[in-house]
């Protein structure tokens, strides 16, 4: 089942149940949001989760592209991506968590054809402030799905203050042979769908106050689900990455983890540029610049003659088209080459500066500040150069 089929099945399933599709936004969050990028489908909907009436009603569904930098060091494993797509549903003060879970189970088993025996769920066990999520646990038990109760892993919060509540997560068995153990004890159980019931608001002092409007917010990772449905062991093996698997290896001879990182980061950079982000030394532009430099560090580790100018325009076009972006592939490639040349000059200057006697021993904090403020050498780059 291709990703476009998954998206169509998902959206139509919820439209049949009274949900209205809303247009997914760019990676740039709405004005006033403190985060650099949209990290989940709920970010653009924050005002409506706070109680403002949504013009399309109380039941919503969408597909939202997201970017997360918290998992950068895990990119290259079987499940983590920097830019990914999130399938989401929302109940804004309408139906509750058990119905959301029941519909989710129906989509997975009937709509997408997943064997119910390959599913496992988790639910909130309760703590000294709120009771257990018995409604979700009983729903799963009634469907015949094994459920594991946890505390920390099944309480969702949107930061130190704001809406929060219990969540119930759905896991898919990815191992060989029949399912074993539980999601907490065996990482072959892959989380695919999180259903959050927003029941409380957390205040700055840590206290919880019940919300007048209870919402349900769900998020389902598209690439992760696609890999599982397509019988692949990695998100990088699903159909979304087929052009990258076909075109990147002939360009640069790389081990599998490095090839995955290169494909993920370049794909993410293309999407960032397509959404209007430009390289800079701060904020969103620095995230873009950091991704490009991570790519070049890997490429040049074995061969300094490698260049992003070899990246096929067709690959850039495919990514822009997939995310419905209007940027010109030639402009994207021009920005990549500009960053490559800038980074090359910075490396040359950095090696020259670090060769001075002053920087041959252990570096103090004031040295890092000096190297950054005077020579434009970030801490991570200085550390990397000293390891050469």
């Amino acid at each position: 089942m291709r990703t476009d089929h998954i998206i169509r099945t998902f959206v139509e399933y919820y439209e049949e149940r009274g949900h209205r599709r809303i247009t997914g936004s760019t990676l740039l969050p709405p004005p006033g949001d403190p985060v650099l990028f949209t990290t989940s489908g709920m970010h653009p909907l924050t005002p409506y989760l706070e109680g403002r009436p949504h013009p399309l009603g109380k039941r919503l569904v969408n597909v939202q592209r997201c970017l997360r930098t918290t998992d950068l060091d895990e990119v290259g494993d079987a499940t983590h991506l920097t830019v990914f797509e999130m399938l989401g549903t929302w109940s804004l003060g309408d139906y509750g968590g058990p119905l959301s879970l029941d519909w989710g189970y129906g989509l997975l088993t009937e709509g997408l054809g997943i064997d119910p025996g390959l599913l496992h769920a988790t639910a909130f066990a309760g703590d000294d402030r709120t009771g257990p999520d018995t409604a979700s646990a009983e729903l799963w038990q009634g469907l015949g799905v094994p459920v594991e109760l946890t505390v920390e892993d099944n309480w969702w919060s949107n930061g130190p203050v704001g809406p929060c509540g219990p969540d119930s997560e759905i896991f898919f068995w990815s191992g060989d042979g029949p399912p074993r153990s539980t999601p907490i004890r065996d990482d072959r159980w892959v989380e695919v769908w999180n259903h959050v019931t927003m029941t409380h608001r957390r205040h700055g002092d840590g206290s919880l106050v019940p919300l007048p409007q209870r919402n349900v917010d769900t998020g389902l990772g598209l690439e992760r689900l696609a890999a599982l449905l397509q019988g692949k062991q990695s998100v990088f093996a699903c159909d979304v990455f087929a052009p990258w698997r076909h075109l990147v290896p002939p360009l640069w001879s790389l081990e599998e983890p490095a090839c995955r990182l290169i494909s993920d980061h370049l794909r993410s950079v293309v999407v960032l540029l397509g959404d209007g982000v430009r390289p800079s030394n701060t904020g969103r532009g620095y995230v873009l610049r950091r991704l490009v430099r991570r790519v070049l560090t890997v490429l040049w580790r074995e061969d300094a003659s490698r260049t992003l100018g070899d990246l096929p325009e067709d690959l850039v076009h495919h990514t822009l088209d997939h995310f419905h972006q209007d940027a010109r592939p030639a402009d994207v490639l021009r920005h990549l080459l500009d960053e490559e040349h800038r980074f090359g000059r910075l490396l040359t200057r950095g090696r020259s500066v670090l060769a001075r006697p002053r920087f041959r021993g252990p570096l103090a904090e004031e040295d890092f500040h000096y190297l950054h403020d005077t020579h434009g050498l970030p801490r991570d780059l200085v550390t990397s150069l000293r390891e050469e």
Side-chain angles (χ1 to χ4, degrees), residues 19-75:
H19 293 68
R20 300 286 299 277
R21 181 171 184 176
I22 56 177
T23 303
S25 68
T26 71
L27 290 176
L28 309 185
D33 196 313
V35 301
L36 289 178
F37 298 104
T38 298
T39 59
S40 69
M42 69 155 286
H43 266 129
L45 293 171
T46 299
Y48 309 104
L49 294 168
E50 296 280 0
R52 181 191 303 175
H54 194 283
L56 294 182
K58 294 179 176 293
R59 299 183 180 186
L60 307 174
V61 59
N62 87 338
V63 183
Q64 172 66 51
R65 58 178 172 269
C66 307
L67 183 149
R68 293 180 184 173
T69 58
T70 53
D71 299 326
L72 274 186
D73 290 335
E74 297 181 73
V75 168

Side-chain angles (χ1 to χ4, degrees), residues 138-211:
E138 290 173 357
L139 183 281
W140 289 124
Q141 290 164 357
L143 292 172
V145 176
V147 57
E148 181 176 28
L149 301 181
T150 82
V151 177
E152 293 183 2
D153 291 338
N154 285 99
W155 182 266
W156 178 91
S157 61
N158 187 28
V161 298
C164 56
D167 65 28
S168 184
E169 299 177 351
I170 306 174
F171 292 78
F172 185 100
W173 177 252
S174 66
D176 296 327
R180 301 175 56 187
S181 191
T182 69
I184 297 299
R185 297 176 177 83
D186 194 322
D187 60 10
R188 287 175 294 179
W189 286 106
V190 178
E191 178 197 341
V192 292
W193 204 348
N194 190 14
H195 292 240
V196 178
T197 303
M198 299 180 186
T199 57
H200 292 76
R201 173 182 296 280
R202 176 184 287 146
H203 291 282
D205 60 1
S207 62
L208 298 178
V209 176
L211 288 171

Side-chain angles (χ1 to χ4, degrees), residues 59 105 118 129 139 157 169 179 196 211 215 300 305 331 343:
R59 299 183 180 186
Y105 175 82
L118 298 178
R129 295 182 298 176
L139 183 281
S157 61
E169 299 177 351
V196 178
L211 288 171
N215 307 302
W300 290 345
S305 68
D331 291 339
F343 188 49

Side-chain angles (χ1 to χ4, degrees), residues 5 62 64 83 149 172 211 236 239 242 271 328 342 387:
H5 186 190
N62 87 338
Q64 172 66 51
V83 166
L149 301 181
F172 185 100
L211 288 171
F236 295 96
D239 64 303
V271 180
R328 295 175 61 246
R342 183 189 302 272
E387 292 174 352

